[in-house]
Amino acid sequence: MTKTRHFLQFSDLTAEECQHIFHRAQVLKRRHVSGELYRPLPGKVMTMIFEKNSTRTRVSFEAGMSQLGGHAMFLDGKSSQIGRGEPVEDTARVLSRMSDIIMIRTFEQNMVETLAANSRVPVINGLTNEYHPCQILADILTYIEHRGDIRGKTVAWIGDGNNMSRTWLQAAKLLGFKLQIATPVGYELTVLDGQDYGADCFAASNDPMTAARGADLVTTDVFTSMGYEGEAEARRQAFDGFMVTSELMAAANPDALFMHCLPAHRGEEVAAAVIDGPQSVVWDEAENRMHAQKALIEYLMLGRIDD
Ligand code: CP
Ligand code: NVA
C-alpha cells in the first residue's frame, strides 16, 4: 500500500515534486481558461475545516474541487464539534472515512500534524500560525509565469517573522533562491523545523532597505496575523517604517515584482502606489491559489499525471 501523502509544510514536497506541481498548475490553468473540462475526481469529496477567517482559501479550494469534478464541504470550528472540544484524532478518523481529502486552516501546526497522523486520506494545511504552504506554491507559480525559474533569484520579505515568511524560507532552501528578510526588532523569524538555513538562502536584518536591495521579488503581509489581534496596536507602532513604498521598490532590481498574499491594508504594510502599481502581480497571485491547489490536489490524490 502506498503511503498517504500530506502537505502540511512546504518541505513536505521534494524540489522535483514542486516543479511538477508548478508545471501541472500551468497546464490545468491553460485548460481552464480555454474552457476545457477536466474532471478526474467525480464523486470525490474534500472536507474543508476553517477555524480562522478566509476568502481566497475557501473559494480557491471549493472552486478548484468543483472544476476537478468533485465537491468541497465547509466546516467551521464553531458550528462543528471541533469547537466543542472533540479530540482532533477522532475528528480525523471520522472525516477521513467520509471524505477523500481534507483541508484545514487553524491555529496550531500541531493540530494539523495530529489530524494528518490519524487520517487515511491526504491532509492539506490551509494556514496555521506557523506555515502557509499553499500560498507560497501560488506565489512561486506566479513568479515563474512572469519571470521564469526562481532558482538563483532573491526574494525580499518586509515585515513580520510569521507563517508566510517562515514558509518562504523553506521554499528558498528547497528551490535554491535567497530570502532577504527585514523584520522589526522583536518580530524576527524563528526557524521551527530544525533545518540549517545557510547564508546562501537566508539573510536577516531589521532594515527594509537592506532586504530590498537587489531583490527580484518584494513581498509583505499584514502586520497583525489572525490570532494575534490583541497585539495590533503594539505591532502598528513596532512596524512603523516597514511599509513597502515606491522608494523601497526602487532599491530592488528594476524588474522586481511585488506580491502580497492578501488581504492587504493600503497605507499600512504597503503603499497604494505599489500594490496598485505596475510591478504588482497580486491579482494573478490570488488567482493562482486555485490553479496551484488543483495541481496539488491532483498530485496528492492521483499521483503524477503528465498528459
Ligand atoms: N491569502 C489568503 O490565504 O487569503 P484568505 O485568508 O482570504 O484565505
Ligand atoms: N499572515 C496572515 C496571512 C493571511 C492570509 C495571517 O496568518 O493572518
Side-chain angles (χ1 to χ4, degrees):
M1 206 174 79
T2 51
K3 196 169 170 287
T4 302
R5 292 292 302 274
H6 305 292
F7 187 53
L8 311 182
Q9 311 186 14
F10 201 90
S11 56
D12 285 346
L13 295 174
T14 65
E16 194 192 357
E17 287 174 322
C18 280
Q19 297 302 351
H20 169 72
I21 287 169
F22 296 139
H23 168 73
R24 195 65 191 154
Q26 291 173 85
V27 171
L28 297 184
K29 183 173 181 174
R30 271 197 300 277
R31 286 185 175 182
H32 177 69
V33 169
S34 73
E36 187 187 329
L37 296 180
Y38 172 63
R39 293 179 167 160
L41 300 177
K44 301 293 184 190
V45 174
M46 166 181 275
T47 300
M48 306 187 294
I49 303 169
F50 282 94
E51 295 202 283
K52 288 179 175 173
N53 291 30
S54 171
T55 297
R56 280 145 288 270
T57 303
R58 178 177 178 180
V59 174
S60 56
F61 273 108
E62 196 161 333
M65 271 307 278
S66 297
Q67 289 167 18
L68 292 169
H71 176 75
M73 179 193 310
F74 176 84
L75 270 187
D76 71 33
K78 285 196 191 71
S79 63
S80 67
Q81 299 292 1
I82 296 165
R84 295 182 66 250
E86 182 166 13
V88 62
E89 293 88 342
D90 294 356
T91 302
R93 291 177 187 120
V94 172
L95 294 183
S96 69
R97 283 172 183 237
M98 296 188 222
S99 46
D100 305 284
I101 186 163
I102 298 169
M103 192 288 303
I104 177 164
R105 166 170 286 197
T106 188
F107 294 86
E108 306 294 332
Q109 179 72 14
N110 191 32
M111 173 171 176
V112 175
E113 306 276 346
T114 306
L115 185 81
N118 290 278
S119 171
R120 294 175 169 183
V121 301
V123 175
I124 296 175
N125 178 354
L127 181 147
T128 58
N129 292 346
E130 290 85 354
Y131 298 108
H132 196 3
C134 292
Q135 183 69 53
I136 304 303
L137 276 183
D139 292 7
I140 296 174
L141 172 63
T142 308
Y143 187 87
I144 292 168
E145 282 183 339
H146 283 267
R147 296 284 184 267
D149 195 358
I150 199 166
R151 175 169 291 279
K153 303 293 183 183
T154 298
V155 175
W157 175 271
I158 313 296
D160 196 11
N162 65 4
N163 46 7
M164 281 288 298
S165 48
R166 190 173 293 111
T167 309
W168 268 115
L169 184 56
Q170 287 194 336
K173 179 156 179 130
L174 194 69
L175 300 176
F177 60 90
K178 183 169 183 178
L179 183 70
Q180 294 183 165
I181 178 167
T183 61
V185 173
Y187 295 90
E188 286 86 358
L189 181 59
T190 50
V191 172
L192 301 176
D193 59 7
Q195 295 275 334
D196 177 21
Y197 291 97
D200 52 334
C201 76
F202 187 40
S205 77
N206 303 112
D207 176 31
M209 276 292 172
T210 302
R213 224 163 268 136
D216 301 291
L217 165 61
V218 177
T219 183
T220 188
D221 187 9
V222 291
F223 292 156
T224 303
S225 285
M226 292 181 282
Y228 299 84
E229 288 79 3
E231 302 174 10
E233 191 43 49
R235 283 172 172 266
R236 243 190 300 278
Q237 290 177 24
F239 284 72
D240 188 31
F242 281 76
M243 189 194 303
V244 178
T245 58
S246 302
E247 293 70 40
L248 198 66
M249 288 302 294
N253 288 337
D255 68 344
L257 298 174
F258 173 76
M259 291 190 198
H260 188 311
C261 63
L262 306 176
H265 305 82
R266 290 168 176 78
E268 277 190 39
E269 74 272 10
V270 59
V274 173
I275 193 167
D276 300 319
Q279 289 169 282
S280 173
V281 291
V282 298
W283 312 122
D284 291 341
E285 181 188 1
E287 177 187 341
N288 278 339
R289 288 293 303 277
M290 184 176 79
H291 304 298
Q293 289 159 197
K294 282 172 71 179
L296 175 69
I297 292 165
E298 181 194 65
Y299 185 69
L300 294 177
M301 293 184 69
L302 302 175
R304 187 173 170 128
I305 293 175
D306 284 309
D307 67 346

